Amino acid sequence: MLHVYRIGGKLSLVFYIVMLYQLWHLCQYGGLRSHMLKLLVVLLGLVYTLVMWLIGRKHQKKEDSENGMKKKIFSIELVVMLAVTLFFGGRIIYSAIPYNGALSWKVYEWTHKKEIALEHNNLYESGVEGILSDLEQELKLPETLYVLGRFQVSFDETGEIQSIDTLLYGQDEKEKKNTYLIEYNSQKSDTMTVWTDGNAGGEYEEDMRLSPMSEILEKADWKNQVKEWAEYSGQSQTYEILYMGRRAFQTEEGLQYNISKEVPKDKKDMEY
């Protein structure tokens, strides 16, 4: 028992240092799977040696109280443990600061990424408003939304949404710009992935408001057009609506409005 007591404390300190090192390395560089087994082994070793040390200490308590050297060694071990804790604890905290380590990206994901169920998944029945309604249940969307780049949604001949790809932004009540990067793929998940509070350089331009998209779709005969294409094709296809804001043209030259029976084999796009 004396032998176990003498080495148990020192081994537990070594295991403690190794555990902190592994935790820091994980937070700094990532790779949970590669670190999991190492951390488990070190943690078991730490628990085992610590328990053995506590059992041995109970039996040697009287002798320790009379031995000044052992008190000094114990004090040194405590100082080493505190120093190591402060050192690796500081490194772990540093890795959580944006762009300083793998942990910072995990923290960003935990605080900025949301998975939102797409319940209104039929564009014919709910339109774009259905998508926004599902987002509104989890996010407090600005009253006026703007499109940065494009609002792209694809669907099949029944209207079931296949994918969504867009970056929306708007101003909240405190005049702060909020952004929403929205991604959805029905083949991978039934939820929309939304990244919030990202960087967006778009201005609050009237021509980039999202609301005209719904107005255009209400007036356009796009459902019947898709139906004609689907009947002509005779097979399941993916159709796409691409909205890039309101555009003005100085001349009618080169502009065409054409409903053709010749449908591309892969995908039919409708751009407004």
Side-chain angles (χ1 to χ4, degrees):
M1 186 61 68
L2 178 61
H3 180 69
V4 172
Y5 172 61
R6 286 177 176 175
I7 67 172
K10 297 175 178 60
L11 285 177
S12 62
L13 180 59
V14 171
F15 277 118
Y16 179 72
I17 294 173
V18 175
M19 182 187 70
L20 287 181
Y21 170 80
Q22 289 295 330
L23 283 174
W24 163 75
H25 201 274
L26 171 62
C27 294
Q28 183 66 45
Y29 301 106
L32 180 60
R33 292 183 180 179
S34 62
H35 287 85
M36 185 64 71
L37 181 59
K38 297 176 183 178
L39 282 170
L40 181 61
V41 172
V42 172
L43 183 59
L44 290 175
L46 174 62
V47 172
Y48 176 77
T49 55
L50 187 59
V51 169
M52 290 297 100
W53 179 79
L54 290 173
I55 294 174
R57 179 176 173 78
K58 184 178 181 180
H59 288 81
Q60 300 295 323
K61 190 174 182 180
K62 182 177 180 181
E63 181 182 341
D64 287 350
S65 63
E66 300 173 353
N67 194 324
M69 181 58 68
K70 288 185 178 180
K71 285 185 178 181
K72 290 181 180 180
I73 294 175
F74 181 70
S75 298
I76 293 173
E77 290 175 347
L78 285 178
V79 171
V80 172
M81 183 178 70
L82 179 60
V84 171
T85 301
L86 292 175
F87 176 76
F88 282 110
R91 299 294 294 272
I92 290 173
I93 293 174
Y94 179 79
S95 69
I97 299 174
Y99 313 112
N100 286 337
L103 181 58
S104 67
W105 295 107
K106 277 297 179 183
V107 171
Y108 183 85
E109 182 177 327
W110 295 331
T111 56
H112 293 81
K113 181 181 179 181
K114 295 183 179 295
E115 296 290 340
I116 301 175
L118 181 63
E119 298 179 358
H120 298 84
N121 63 347
N122 192 290
L123 202 62
Y124 290 167
E125 298 174 359
S126 306
V128 178
E129 292 81 1
I131 300 174
L132 298 178
S133 175
D134 291 338
L135 293 171
E136 186 66 40
Q137 290 183 7
E138 299 291 336
L139 305 169
K140 190 176 181 181
L141 296 175
E143 184 176 351
T144 303
L145 286 170
Y146 299 83
V147 179
L148 184 63
R150 64 187 182 183
F151 189 105
Q152 185 174 355
V153 54
S154 65
F155 56 98
D156 61 17
E157 64 275 1
T158 66
E160 184 175 347
I161 297 174
Q162 302 299 305
S163 67
I164 302 172
D165 182 16
T166 187
L167 176 56
L168 305 178
Y169 64 95
Q171 197 173 52
D172 62 16
E173 298 175 353
K174 298 181 180 179
E175 298 185 353
K176 176 186 176 183
K177 178 182 286 186
N178 293 326
T179 63
Y180 310 91
L181 176 62
I182 305 166
E183 300 171 341
Y184 171 76
N185 188 327
S186 63
Q187 301 298 319
K188 297 180 179 180
S189 174
D190 58 355
T191 62
M192 295 179 286
T193 300
V194 183
W195 293 89
T196 61
D197 299 331
N199 295 321
E203 301 298 329
Y204 300 110
E205 300 177 10
E206 191 71 13
D207 290 341
M208 296 307 296
R209 289 187 303 114
L210 179 63
S211 55
M213 178 180 181
S214 299
E215 298 171 6
I216 292 172
L217 291 179
E218 287 179 3
K219 296 178 181 179
D221 192 24
W222 61 280
K223 295 179 183 178
N224 288 330
Q225 187 173 340
V226 171
K227 183 179 179 180
E228 291 181 12
W229 290 337
E231 291 176 352
Y232 179 81
S233 172
Q235 57 184 352
S236 180
Q237 293 192 87
T238 301
Y239 303 87
E240 185 176 275
I241 293 177
L242 180 62
Y243 175 75
M244 302 177 68
R246 189 169 57 187
R247 295 289 186 269
F249 301 92
Q250 300 299 324
T251 176
E252 295 183 0
E253 183 179 354
L255 295 180
Q256 295 183 2
Y257 177 76
N258 182 34
I259 299 180
S260 174
K261 292 295 186 178
E262 297 181 3
V263 184
K265 295 182 179 180
D266 297 328
K267 183 183 293 185
K268 192 70 178 178
D269 294 343
M270 290 175 286
E271 182 175 344
Y272 298 96

